[in-house]
Amino acid sequence: MLVVKKFGGTSVANKERIYNVANRCIEDYKKGNDVVVVLSAMGKYTDELIDKAKDINPNPPKREMDMLYTIGEQMSVALMAMAMNHLGVPAVSLNAFQVSMHTTSVYGNARLKRIDSERIRNELEQRKIVIVTGFQGVDKFDNYTTLGRGGSDTTAVALAAALNADSCEIFTDVDGVFTADPRKVPAAKKLDVISYDEMLELATLGAGVLHNRSVELAKKYGVHLVVRSSLNTAEGTIVKEVGSMEKMLVSGVAADKDTTRISLIGLKDEPGVAFRLFNHLARHNINVDMILQSVGRDSTKDITFTTTEDNAQEAVEIVERHFHEYEKIDVEKDVVKVSIVGAGMQSNPGVAAKMFECLYDEGINIKMISTSEIRVSVLIGEKYAEKAMNAIHEKFSLGDN
Amino acid sequence: MLVVKKFGGTSVANKERIYNVANRCIEDYKKGNDVVVVLSAMGKYTDELIDKAKDINPNPPKREMDMLYTIGEQMSVALMAMAMNHLGVPAVSLNAFQVSMHTTSVYGNARLKRIDSERIRNELEQRKIVIVTGFQGVDKFDNYTTLGRGGSDTTAVALAAALNADSCEIFTDVDGVFTADPRKVPAAKKLDVISYDEMLELATLGAGVLHNRSVELAKKYGVHLVVRSSLNTAEGTIVKEVGSMEKMLVSGVAADKDTTRISLIGLKDEPGVAFRLFNHLARHNINVDMILQSVGRDSTKDITFTTTEDNAQEAVEIVERHFHEYEKIDVEKDVVKVSIVGAGMQSNPGVAAKMFECLYDEGINIKMISTSEIRVSVLIGEKYAEKAMNAIHEKFSLGDN
């Protein structure tokens, strides 16, 4: 068996944890498996590097920022190799140059293009544990790049695909993927299996433990992905292609508080209005999430959309500066997007209605609705978030075995 | 003009000093010069990395140690590039992979084999300041290596040779090369020029500001080397091939306290004794400096040698364990090697005698003598070190202009 194991920054934050990870990997190695380990930078080290950079230059060139970032993972992998060698197991650390982790040239947010797995295979053949820097790559001009948020997960999945690994284990501080956030919904239950598509929807909702790029990659290459705890040996959640017979009606409920509703009231009811509005926003890189258009009074129409709290202020400014076709703008920050996700709802038309009924029973007003094939999202007042999640969780019996 | 400028760890230890170096390089750049900067790791950062490693593994594999070490210079160059960019000058940082700094595979003490200067030339053509990591290289298997003591000086000189630079400036915390250590000899004077050979002798004596490998390399490729202060704009000392007319009789006096004398008394006066003794020491990597053999009493002979204080204890143990041909062993630690260096003494037979006379006048007993073509060294009691240096300095009028 060839397994790729990815550990995040908190798992390698100090000596004790480094040895914990080392022992865990060695256990697998001693069963005769080939083990490839992907690591992030230690604890808060990336933040320290950012502070160092900002102190020198508040607006550092992205190329140099990536040059600095890559230090973090290199430190992790070198120290991990030292720990494993101290435990008597041959281990070798490799950075993005040594693995040949080819990416596009977009500093800070590069995409993996190709991995030369020869060096890794070579080291594995010599029965070494191979420890690879996550998050980093090299572009075709030999510059360092980094992969952006969740980059180390992406590195792990890409390596698993390139090496045709039997399994790619992503270690986190939770036991796996849950039907809801256990801190908010006490009845939440760990899922044994979830489909790539469901995981993707959860990841996009900010509720998942994986970044969506890594899930997309896993889906594309059919990587057998496992999300499990670095603190215990529980089985975790397997992310894979799920046959239709196994599909759960609803597999989880999630809430995303980082959302702001912006409504433009009294727009002319004529073609091209929506295009002009969202074109302005897109040109300024404002990501819009939910969109709702409704008929207003006196042959006008209203357009409402949501965006992250970070982007909201800028979105309002852009609308005020460039888009003069509305009568009134209305912004609401205290909102939350609650979503249910489940591959089974594709063929079950009653799911959305059941969710709305549940919210009605709790006296919670729905401000917006958006749906995909396997997801239903509603925008409600922020203060109702936990009440809604618990009620929905119970309504769909997600806590039952 | 193409100039290579090397700054050590103290010169980039904090934000203020980084900007000091940046401004200094930019000044040259704005004159229209092509500027390549070589940096060491910041301040005590290499020591921090060693501590981190030793905490994980008291005896870390050398390959992984080099993987860890290279982080230090990468941090320096990235931050320097950010500082220069903040000052409005395009700058790019490059590590050993990006420059293609090829070395042998000896981790911790690799030798440079070849530098691909294409990337650097390319960046210079775009009128960027190029900032290169000192001390580090890459072997033919794509592993990081480091160059050992004085490694960043070696990187700078090698780059100057590869780029056919007009000048290679080594910045230090002193104004240049002095006729003697100014802390010990108040009359010491900065030299404007010194030959490669003299500099090599001084470097080997531990008195020079440059490591001898970098001087050897500079001599081999005729690199115009300048040793100067990072704290002021004084001219510094030029190290170059000096014509015989310019040769000074004696250019400097140096003292090396890190020396221990070991004498073996009562050896048989037969062939092969010295060979057997020094063969044992060499096999255990004990570097021997001065060697003296004298006729003892009753057809025996004595052999005396010096080594560093670090190696002395081990040397004694090796002799006691493997070499049983002596009657008595005598060890003296409180000794110092005082040397005079000067290319002019090759053709001036009276130099050594003048030095001995000077020590006689001061009532200082000479324990050992060793000479090379351009150097005379004597071993004397440690307590006489400064007295001897000052007397010799005056005798040879080194402080005069």
Side-chain angles (χ1 to χ4, degrees), chain A residues 19 56 64 67 70 74 93 119 141 143, chain B residues 19 56-57 64 67 70 74 93 119 141 143:
Chain A
Y19 269 96
I56 295 287
E64 300 303 329
M67 188 81 173
T70 55
Q74 194 171 319
S93 67
R119 173 75 188 258
F141 306 107
N143 296 305
Chain B
Y19 269 97
I56 295 289
N57 182 340
E64 299 303 329
M67 188 82 175
T70 55
Q74 194 171 319
S93 67
R119 173 75 188 260
F141 305 107
N143 296 305

mmCIF file with all atom_site columns, all heavy atoms in Angstrom, chain A residues 19 56 64 67 70 74 93 119 141 143, chain B residues 19 56-57 64 67 70 74 93 119 141 143:
data_model
loop_
_atom_site.group_PDB
_atom_site.id
_atom_site.type_symbol
_atom_site.label_atom_id
_atom_site.label_alt_id
_atom_site.label_comp_id
_atom_site.label_asym_id
_atom_site.label_entity_id
_atom_site.label_seq_id
_atom_site.pdbx_PDB_ins_code
_atom_site.Cartn_x
_atom_site.Cartn_y
_atom_site.Cartn_z
_atom_site.occupancy
_atom_site.B_iso_or_equiv
_atom_site.pdbx_formal_charge
_atom_site.auth_seq_id
_atom_site.auth_comp_id
_atom_site.auth_asym_id
_atom_site.auth_atom_id
_atom_site.pdbx_PDB_model_num
ATOM 1   N N   . TYR A 1 19  ? 6.910  14.591 17.130  1.00 0.00 ? 19  TYR A N   1
ATOM 2   C CA  . TYR A 1 19  ? 7.158  13.173 17.422  1.00 0.00 ? 19  TYR A CA  1
ATOM 3   C C   . TYR A 1 19  ? 5.882  12.343 17.368  1.00 0.00 ? 19  TYR A C   1
ATOM 4   O O   . TYR A 1 19  ? 5.907  11.176 16.983  1.00 0.00 ? 19  TYR A O   1
ATOM 5   C CB  . TYR A 1 19  ? 7.878  13.021 18.769  1.00 0.00 ? 19  TYR A CB  1
ATOM 6   C CG  . TYR A 1 19  ? 9.376  13.033 18.585  1.00 0.00 ? 19  TYR A CG  1
ATOM 7   C CD1 . TYR A 1 19  ? 10.106 14.197 18.754  1.00 0.00 ? 19  TYR A CD1 1
ATOM 8   C CD2 . TYR A 1 19  ? 10.047 11.883 18.177  1.00 0.00 ? 19  TYR A CD2 1
ATOM 9   C CE1 . TYR A 1 19  ? 11.466 14.223 18.538  1.00 0.00 ? 19  TYR A CE1 1
ATOM 10  C CE2 . TYR A 1 19  ? 11.409 11.894 17.958  1.00 0.00 ? 19  TYR A CE2 1
ATOM 11  C CZ  . TYR A 1 19  ? 12.118 13.066 18.139  1.00 0.00 ? 19  TYR A CZ  1
ATOM 12  O OH  . TYR A 1 19  ? 13.461 13.069 17.909  1.00 0.00 ? 19  TYR A OH  1
ATOM 13  N N   . ILE A 1 56  ? 8.993  45.067 7.018   1.00 0.00 ? 56  ILE A N   1
ATOM 14  C CA  . ILE A 1 56  ? 9.967  45.563 6.035   1.00 0.00 ? 56  ILE A CA  1
ATOM 15  C C   . ILE A 1 56  ? 9.262  46.363 4.941   1.00 0.00 ? 56  ILE A C   1
ATOM 16  O O   . ILE A 1 56  ? 9.723  47.407 4.499   1.00 0.00 ? 56  ILE A O   1
ATOM 17  C CB  . ILE A 1 56  ? 10.729 44.376 5.384   1.00 0.00 ? 56  ILE A CB  1
ATOM 18  C CG1 . ILE A 1 56  ? 11.584 43.642 6.425   1.00 0.00 ? 56  ILE A CG1 1
ATOM 19  C CG2 . ILE A 1 56  ? 11.578 44.845 4.197   1.00 0.00 ? 56  ILE A CG2 1
ATOM 20  C CD1 . ILE A 1 56  ? 12.814 44.376 6.883   1.00 0.00 ? 56  ILE A CD1 1
ATOM 21  N N   . GLU A 1 64  ? 8.225  37.767 -3.893  1.00 0.00 ? 64  GLU A N   1
ATOM 22  C CA  . GLU A 1 64  ? 9.109  37.680 -2.731  1.00 0.00 ? 64  GLU A CA  1
ATOM 23  C C   . GLU A 1 64  ? 8.371  37.118 -1.519  1.00 0.00 ? 64  GLU A C   1
ATOM 24  O O   . GLU A 1 64  ? 8.953  36.445 -0.685  1.00 0.00 ? 64  GLU A O   1
ATOM 25  C CB  . GLU A 1 64  ? 9.718  39.045 -2.428  1.00 0.00 ? 64  GLU A CB  1
ATOM 26  C CG  . GLU A 1 64  ? 10.559 39.622 -3.567  1.00 0.00 ? 64  GLU A CG  1
ATOM 27  C CD  . GLU A 1 64  ? 11.696 38.697 -3.999  1.00 0.00 ? 64  GLU A CD  1
ATOM 28  O OE1 . GLU A 1 64  ? 12.225 37.944 -3.162  1.00 0.00 ? 64  GLU A OE1 1
ATOM 29  O OE2 . GLU A 1 64  ? 12.045 38.728 -5.200  1.00 0.00 ? 64  GLU A OE2 1
ATOM 30  N N   . MET A 1 67  ? 8.544  33.527 -1.893  1.00 0.00 ? 67  MET A N   1
ATOM 31  C CA  . MET A 1 67  ? 9.919  33.119 -1.571  1.00 0.00 ? 67  MET A CA  1
ATOM 32  C C   . MET A 1 67  ? 10.063 32.973 -0.052  1.00 0.00 ? 67  MET A C   1
ATOM 33  O O   . MET A 1 67  ? 10.723 32.065 0.432   1.00 0.00 ? 67  MET A O   1
ATOM 34  C CB  . MET A 1 67  ? 10.875 34.180 -2.107  1.00 0.00 ? 67  MET A CB  1
ATOM 35  C CG  . MET A 1 67  ? 12.327 33.830 -2.017  1.00 0.00 ? 67  MET A CG  1
ATOM 36  S SD  . MET A 1 67  ? 12.869 32.753 -3.353  1.00 0.00 ? 67  MET A SD  1
ATOM 37  C CE  . MET A 1 67  ? 14.652 32.735 -3.047  1.00 0.00 ? 67  MET A CE  1
ATOM 38  N N   . THR A 1 70  ? 7.739  29.888 1.597   1.00 0.00 ? 70  THR A N   1
ATOM 39  C CA  . THR A 1 70  ? 8.179  28.504 1.399   1.00 0.00 ? 70  THR A CA  1
ATOM 40  C C   . THR A 1 70  ? 9.150  28.039 2.486   1.00 0.00 ? 70  THR A C   1
ATOM 41  O O   . THR A 1 70  ? 9.338  26.849 2.674   1.00 0.00 ? 70  THR A O   1
ATOM 42  C CB  . THR A 1 70  ? 8.859  28.336 0.028   1.00 0.00 ? 70  THR A CB  1
ATOM 43  O OG1 . THR A 1 70  ? 9.919  29.290 -0.080  1.00 0.00 ? 70  THR A OG1 1
ATOM 44  C CG2 . THR A 1 70  ? 7.872  28.544 -1.099  1.00 0.00 ? 70  THR A CG2 1
ATOM 45  N N   . GLN A 1 74  ? 9.525  24.185 4.613   1.00 0.00 ? 74  GLN A N   1
ATOM 46  C CA  . GLN A 1 74  ? 10.847 23.552 4.556   1.00 0.00 ? 74  GLN A CA  1
ATOM 47  C C   . GLN A 1 74  ? 11.378 23.265 5.968   1.00 0.00 ? 74  GLN A C   1
ATOM 48  O O   . GLN A 1 74  ? 12.007 22.239 6.212   1.00 0.00 ? 74  GLN A O   1
ATOM 49  C CB  . GLN A 1 74  ? 11.821 24.428 3.766   1.00 0.00 ? 74  GLN A CB  1
ATOM 50  C CG  . GLN A 1 74  ? 13.078 23.664 3.386   1.00 0.00 ? 74  GLN A CG  1
ATOM 51  C CD  . GLN A 1 74  ? 13.959 24.444 2.425   1.00 0.00 ? 74  GLN A CD  1
ATOM 52  O OE1 . GLN A 1 74  ? 13.454 25.088 1.508   1.00 0.00 ? 74  GLN A OE1 1
ATOM 53  N NE2 . GLN A 1 74  ? 15.241 24.379 2.630   1.00 0.00 ? 74  GLN A NE2 1
ATOM 54  N N   . SER A 1 93  ? 13.524 14.596 3.523   1.00 0.00 ? 93  SER A N   1
ATOM 55  C CA  . SER A 1 93  ? 12.611 15.709 3.267   1.00 0.00 ? 93  SER A CA  1
ATOM 56  C C   . SER A 1 93  ? 12.860 16.269 1.866   1.00 0.00 ? 93  SER A C   1
ATOM 57  O O   . SER A 1 93  ? 13.989 16.305 1.394   1.00 0.00 ? 93  SER A O   1
ATOM 58  C CB  . SER A 1 93  ? 12.823 16.809 4.314   1.00 0.00 ? 93  SER A CB  1
ATOM 59  O OG  . SER A 1 93  ? 14.084 17.413 4.163   1.00 0.00 ? 93  SER A OG  1
ATOM 60  N N   . ARG A 1 119 ? 11.595 11.251 -8.234  1.00 0.00 ? 119 ARG A N   1
ATOM 61  C CA  . ARG A 1 119 ? 12.433 11.337 -7.042  1.00 0.00 ? 119 ARG A CA  1
ATOM 62  C C   . ARG A 1 119 ? 11.757 10.641 -5.854  1.00 0.00 ? 119 ARG A C   1
ATOM 63  O O   . ARG A 1 119 ? 12.403 9.911  -5.098  1.00 0.00 ? 119 ARG A O   1
ATOM 64  C CB  . ARG A 1 119 ? 12.709 12.806 -6.707  1.00 0.00 ? 119 ARG A CB  1
ATOM 65  C CG  . ARG A 1 119 ? 13.428 13.048 -5.378  1.00 0.00 ? 119 ARG A CG  1
ATOM 66  C CD  . ARG A 1 119 ? 14.892 12.698 -5.465  1.00 0.00 ? 119 ARG A CD  1
ATOM 67  N NE  . ARG A 1 119 ? 15.578 12.725 -4.188  1.00 0.00 ? 119 ARG A NE  1
ATOM 68  C CZ  . ARG A 1 119 ? 16.367 13.720 -3.762  1.00 0.00 ? 119 ARG A CZ  1
ATOM 69  N NH1 . ARG A 1 119 ? 16.569 14.766 -4.534  1.00 0.00 ? 119 ARG A NH1 1
ATOM 70  N NH2 . ARG A 1 119 ? 16.964 13.667 -2.589  1.00 0.00 ? 119 ARG A NH2 1
ATOM 71  N N   . PHE A 1 141 ? 9.602  29.259 -14.709 1.00 0.00 ? 141 PHE A N   1
ATOM 72  C CA  . PHE A 1 141 ? 10.805 30.091 -14.671 1.00 0.00 ? 141 PHE A CA  1
ATOM 73  C C   . PHE A 1 141 ? 11.622 29.848 -13.403 1.00 0.00 ? 141 PHE A C   1
ATOM 74  O O   . PHE A 1 141 ? 12.488 30.640 -13.049 1.00 0.00 ? 141 PHE A O   1
ATOM 75  C CB  . PHE A 1 141 ? 10.424 31.570 -14.775 1.00 0.00 ? 141 PHE A CB  1
ATOM 76  C CG  . PHE A 1 141 ? 9.576  31.880 -15.969 1.00 0.00 ? 141 PHE A CG  1
ATOM 77  C CD1 . PHE A 1 141 ? 8.235  32.165 -15.821 1.00 0.00 ? 141 PHE A CD1 1
ATOM 78  C CD2 . PHE A 1 141 ? 10.128 31.847 -17.243 1.00 0.00 ? 141 PHE A CD2 1
ATOM 79  C CE1 . PHE A 1 141 ? 7.442  32.439 -16.927 1.00 0.00 ? 141 PHE A CE1 1
ATOM 80  C CE2 . PHE A 1 141 ? 9.341  32.115 -18.349 1.00 0.00 ? 141 PHE A CE2 1
ATOM 81  C CZ  . PHE A 1 141 ? 7.989  32.404 -18.190 1.00 0.00 ? 141 PHE A CZ  1
ATOM 82  N N   . ASN A 1 143 ? 10.647 30.049 -10.313 1.00 0.00 ? 143 ASN A N   1
ATOM 83  C CA  . ASN A 1 143 ? 10.291 30.862 -9.159  1.00 0.00 ? 143 ASN A CA  1
ATOM 84  C C   . ASN A 1 143 ? 9.412  30.044 -8.224  1.00 0.00 ? 143 ASN A C   1
ATOM 85  O O   . ASN A 1 143 ? 8.621  29.214 -8.670  1.00 0.00 ? 143 ASN A O   1
ATOM 86  C CB  . ASN A 1 143 ? 9.502  32.105 -9.592  1.00 0.00 ? 143 ASN A CB  1
ATOM 87  C CG  . ASN A 1 143 ? 10.337 33.017 -10.446 1.00 0.00 ? 143 ASN A CG  1
ATOM 88  O OD1 . ASN A 1 143 ? 11.419 33.430 -10.043 1.00 0.00 ? 143 ASN A OD1 1
ATOM 89  N ND2 . ASN A 1 143 ? 9.846  33.311 -11.638 1.00 0.00 ? 143 ASN A ND2 1
ATOM 90  N N   . TYR B 1 19  ? 17.737 47.898 5.695   1.00 0.00 ? 19  TYR B N   1
ATOM 91  C CA  . TYR B 1 19  ? 17.563 49.106 4.875   1.00 0.00 ? 19  TYR B CA  1
ATOM 92  C C   . TYR B 1 19  ? 18.893 49.812 4.619   1.00 0.00 ? 19  TYR B C   1
ATOM 93  O O   . TYR B 1 19  ? 19.101 50.408 3.563   1.00 0.00 ? 19  TYR B O   1
ATOM 94  C CB  . TYR B 1 19  ? 16.535 50.041 5.509   1.00 0.00 ? 19  TYR B CB  1
ATOM 95  C CG  . TYR B 1 19  ? 15.150 49.737 4.992   1.00 0.00 ? 19  TYR B CG  1
ATOM 96  C CD1 . TYR B 1 19  ? 14.278 48.926 5.699   1.00 0.00 ? 19  TYR B CD1 1
ATOM 97  C CD2 . TYR B 1 19  ? 14.745 50.221 3.738   1.00 0.00 ? 19  TYR B CD2 1
ATOM 98  C CE1 . TYR B 1 19  ? 13.030 48.609 5.191   1.00 0.00 ? 19  TYR B CE1 1
ATOM 99  C CE2 . TYR B 1 19  ? 13.502 49.921 3.226   1.00 0.00 ? 19  TYR B CE2 1
ATOM 100 C CZ  . TYR B 1 19  ? 12.639 49.115 3.953   1.00 0.00 ? 19  TYR B CZ  1
ATOM 101 O OH  . TYR B 1 19  ? 11.425 48.806 3.443   1.00 0.00 ? 19  TYR B OH  1
ATOM 102 N N   . ILE B 1 56  ? 15.213 18.478 18.515  1.00 0.00 ? 56  ILE B N   1
ATOM 103 C CA  . ILE B 1 56  ? 14.502 17.348 17.907  1.00 0.00 ? 56  ILE B CA  1
ATOM 104 C C   . ILE B 1 56  ? 15.393 16.114 17.870  1.00 0.00 ? 56  ILE B C   1
ATOM 105 O O   . ILE B 1 56  ? 14.947 14.991 18.134  1.00 0.00 ? 56  ILE B O   1
ATOM 106 C CB  . ILE B 1 56  ? 14.081 17.707 16.446  1.00 0.00 ? 56  ILE B CB  1
ATOM 107 C CG1 . ILE B 1 56  ? 13.057 18.840 16.426  1.00 0.00 ? 56  ILE B CG1 1
ATOM 108 C CG2 . ILE B 1 56  ? 13.556 16.476 15.708  1.00 0.00 ? 56  ILE B CG2 1
ATOM 109 C CD1 . ILE B 1 56  ? 11.687 18.483 16.926  1.00 0.00 ? 56  ILE B CD1 1
ATOM 110 N N   . ASN B 1 57  ? 16.653 16.313 17.506  1.00 0.00 ? 57  ASN B N   1
ATOM 111 C CA  . ASN B 1 57  ? 17.567 15.184 17.310  1.00 0.00 ? 57  ASN B CA  1
ATOM 112 C C   . ASN B 1 57  ? 18.989 15.679 17.612  1.00 0.00 ? 57  ASN B C   1
ATOM 113 O O   . ASN B 1 57  ? 19.537 16.480 16.861  1.00 0.00 ? 57  ASN B O   1
ATOM 114 C CB  . ASN B 1 57  ? 17.454 14.694 15.855  1.00 0.00 ? 57  ASN B CB  1
ATOM 115 C CG  . ASN B 1 57  ? 18.325 13.489 15.571  1.00 0.00 ? 57  ASN B CG  1
ATOM 116 O OD1 . ASN B 1 57  ? 19.274 13.202 16.291  1.00 0.00 ? 57  ASN B OD1 1
ATOM 117 N ND2 . ASN B 1 57  ? 17.993 12.774 14.497  1.00 0.00 ? 57  ASN B ND2 1
ATOM 118 N N   . GLU B 1 64  ? 19.704 16.629 6.299   1.00 0.00 ? 64  GLU B N   1
ATOM 119 C CA  . GLU B 1 64  ? 18.544 17.370 6.806   1.00 0.00 ? 64  GLU B CA  1
ATOM 120 C C   . GLU B 1 64  ? 18.987 18.669 7.469   1.00 0.00 ? 64  GLU B C   1
ATOM 121 O O   . GLU B 1 64  ? 18.279 19.672 7.446   1.00 0.00 ? 64  GLU B O   1
ATOM 122 C CB  . GLU B 1 64  ? 17.737 16.505 7.767   1.00 0.00 ? 64  GLU B CB  1
ATOM 123 C CG  . GLU B 1 64  ? 17.185 15.224 7.129   1.00 0.00 ? 64  GLU B CG  1
ATOM 124 C CD  . GLU B 1 64  ? 16.313 15.501 5.912   1.00 0.00 ? 64  GLU B CD  1
ATOM 125 O OE1 . GLU B 1 64  ? 15.649 16.546 5.858   1.00 0.00 ? 64  GLU B OE1 1
ATOM 126 O OE2 . GLU B 1 64  ? 16.313 14.645 4.990   1.00 0.00 ? 64  GLU B OE2 1
ATOM 127 N N   . MET B 1 67  ? 19.299 21.065 4.758   1.00 0.00 ? 67  MET B N   1
ATOM 128 C CA  . MET B 1 67  ? 17.939 21.438 4.335   1.00 0.00 ? 67  MET B CA  1
ATOM 129 C C   . MET B 1 67  ? 17.407 22.542 5.249   1.00 0.00 ? 67  MET B C   1
ATOM 130 O O   . MET B 1 67  ? 16.737 23.472 4.801   1.00 0.00 ? 67  MET B O   1
ATOM 131 C CB  . MET B 1 67  ? 17.050 20.190 4.432   1.00 0.00 ? 67  MET B CB  1
ATOM 132 C CG  . MET B 1 67  ? 15.677 20.344 3.869   1.00 0.00 ? 67  MET B CG  1
ATOM 133 S SD  . MET B 1 67  ? 15.644 20.116 2.079   1.00 0.00 ? 67  MET B SD  1
ATOM 134 C CE  . MET B 1 67  ? 13.869 20.204 1.777   1.00 0.00 ? 67  MET B CE  1
ATOM 135 N N   . THR B 1 70  ? 19.536 26.157 4.963   1.00 0.00 ? 70  THR B N   1
ATOM 136 C CA  . THR B 1 70  ? 19.301 26.999 3.785   1.00 0.00 ? 70  THR B CA  1
ATOM 137 C C   . THR B 1 70  ? 18.125 27.956 3.967   1.00 0.00 ? 70  THR B C   1
ATOM 138 O O   . THR B 1 70  ? 18.015 28.947 3.251   1.00 0.00 ? 70  THR B O   1
ATOM 139 C CB  . THR B 1 70  ? 19.042 26.137 2.535   1.00 0.00 ? 70  THR B CB  1
ATOM 140 O OG1 . THR B 1 70  ? 17.963 25.253 2.809   1.00 0.00 ? 70  THR B OG1 1
ATOM 141 C CG2 . THR B 1 70  ? 20.271 25.330 2.171   1.00 0.00 ? 70  THR B CG2 1
ATOM 142 N N   . GLN B 1 74  ? 17.593 32.175 2.745   1.00 0.00 ? 74  GLN B N   1
ATOM 143 C CA  . GLN B 1 74  ? 16.410 32.460 1.924   1.00 0.00 ? 74  GLN B CA  1
ATOM 144 C C   . GLN B 1 74  ? 15.569 33.556 2.568   1.00 0.00 ? 74  GLN B C   1
ATOM 145 O O   . GLN B 1 74  ? 15.005 34.411 1.882   1.00 0.00 ? 74  GLN B O   1
ATOM 146 C CB  . GLN B 1 74  ? 15.600 31.178 1.708   1.00 0.00 ? 74  GLN B CB  1
ATOM 147 C CG  . GLN B 1 74  ? 14.581 31.355 0.589   1.00 0.00 ? 74  GLN B CG  1
ATOM 148 C CD  . GLN B 1 74  ? 13.928 30.053 0.201   1.00 0.00 ? 74  GLN B CD  1
ATOM 149 O OE1 . GLN B 1 74  ? 14.583 29.006 0.120   1.00 0.00 ? 74  GLN B OE1 1
ATOM 150 N NE2 . GLN B 1 74  ? 12.635 30.089 -0.032  1.00 0.00 ? 74  GLN B NE2 1
ATOM 151 N N   . SER B 1 93  ? 15.098 38.052 -5.496  1.00 0.00 ? 93  SER B N   1
ATOM 152 C CA  . SER B 1 93  ? 15.925 37.168 -4.680  1.00 0.00 ? 93  SER B CA  1
ATOM 153 C C   . SER B 1 93  ? 16.013 35.798 -5.342  1.00 0.00 ? 93  SER B C   1
ATOM 154 O O   . SER B 1 93  ? 15.056 35.329 -5.953  1.00 0.00 ? 93  SER B O   1
ATOM 155 C CB  . SER B 1 93  ? 15.320 37.034 -3.279  1.00 0.00 ? 93  SER B CB  1
ATOM 156 O OG  . SER B 1 93  ? 14.087 36.353 -3.325  1.00 0.00 ? 93  SER B OG  1
ATOM 157 N N   . ARG B 1 119 ? 20.475 32.854 -15.358 1.00 0.00 ? 119 ARG B N   1
ATOM 158 C CA  . ARG B 1 119 ? 19.346 33.500 -14.700 1.00 0.00 ? 119 ARG B CA  1
ATOM 159 C C   . ARG B 1 119 ? 19.733 34.877 -14.152 1.00 0.00 ? 119 ARG B C   1
ATOM 160 O O   . ARG B 1 119 ? 18.993 35.856 -14.304 1.00 0.00 ? 119 ARG B O   1
ATOM 161 C CB  . ARG B 1 119 ? 18.828 32.611 -13.556 1.00 0.00 ? 119 ARG B CB  1
ATOM 162 C CG  . ARG B 1 119 ? 17.753 33.246 -12.670 1.00 0.00 ? 119 ARG B CG  1
ATOM 163 C CD  . ARG B 1 119 ? 16.402 33.281 -13.363 1.00 0.00 ? 119 ARG B CD  1
ATOM 164 N NE  . ARG B 1 119 ? 15.402 34.039 -12.653 1.00 0.00 ? 119 ARG B NE  1
ATOM 165 C CZ  . ARG B 1 119 ? 14.440 33.518 -11.884 1.00 0.00 ? 119 ARG B CZ  1
ATOM 166 N NH1 . ARG B 1 119 ? 14.357 32.221 -11.722 1.00 0.00 ? 119 ARG B NH1 1
ATOM 167 N NH2 . ARG B 1 119 ? 13.550 34.292 -11.298 1.00 0.00 ? 119 ARG B NH2 1
ATOM 168 N N   . PHE B 1 141 ? 22.215 15.506 -7.230  1.00 0.00 ? 141 PHE B N   1
ATOM 169 C CA  . PHE B 1 141 ? 20.966 14.781 -6.976  1.00 0.00 ? 141 PHE B CA  1
ATOM 170 C C   . PHE B 1 141 ? 19.863 15.728 -6.487  1.00 0.00 ? 141 PHE B C   1
ATOM 171 O O   . PHE B 1 141 ? 18.851 15.284 -5.938  1.00 0.00 ? 141 PHE B O   1
ATOM 172 C CB  . PHE B 1 141 ? 21.202 13.668 -5.952  1.00 0.00 ? 141 PHE B CB  1
ATOM 173 C CG  . PHE B 1 141 ? 22.305 12.730 -6.338  1.00 0.00 ? 141 PHE B CG  1
ATOM 174 C CD1 . PHE B 1 141 ? 23.528 12.764 -5.696  1.00 0.00 ? 141 PHE B CD1 1
ATOM 175 C CD2 . PHE B 1 141 ? 22.121 11.819 -7.373  1.00 0.00 ? 141 PHE B CD2 1
ATOM 176 C CE1 . PHE B 1 141 ? 24.557 11.908 -6.061  1.00 0.00 ? 141 PHE B CE1 1
ATOM 177 C CE2 . PHE B 1 141 ? 23.147 10.959 -7.750  1.00 0.00 ? 141 PHE B CE2 1
ATOM 178 C CZ  . PHE B 1 141 ? 24.368 11.004 -7.093  1.00 0.00 ? 141 PHE B CZ  1
ATOM 179 N N   . ASN B 1 143 ? 19.965 17.749 -3.948  1.00 0.00 ? 143 ASN B N   1
ATOM 180 C CA  . ASN B 1 143 ? 19.909 17.972 -2.507  1.00 0.00 ? 143 ASN B CA  1
ATOM 181 C C   . ASN B 1 143 ? 20.586 19.293 -2.183  1.00 0.00 ? 143 ASN B C   1
ATOM 182 O O   . ASN B 1 143 ? 21.553 19.678 -2.831  1.00 0.00 ? 143 ASN B O   1
ATOM 183 C CB  . ASN B 1 143 ? 20.637 16.853 -1.758  1.00 0.00 ? 143 ASN B CB  1
ATOM 184 C CG  . ASN B 1 143 ? 19.972 15.519 -1.965  1.00 0.00 ? 143 ASN B CG  1
ATOM 185 O OD1 . ASN B 1 143 ? 18.776 15.367 -1.716  1.00 0.00 ? 143 ASN B OD1 1
ATOM 186 N ND2 . ASN B 1 143 ? 20.734 14.547 -2.446  1.00 0.00 ? 143 ASN B ND2 1
#
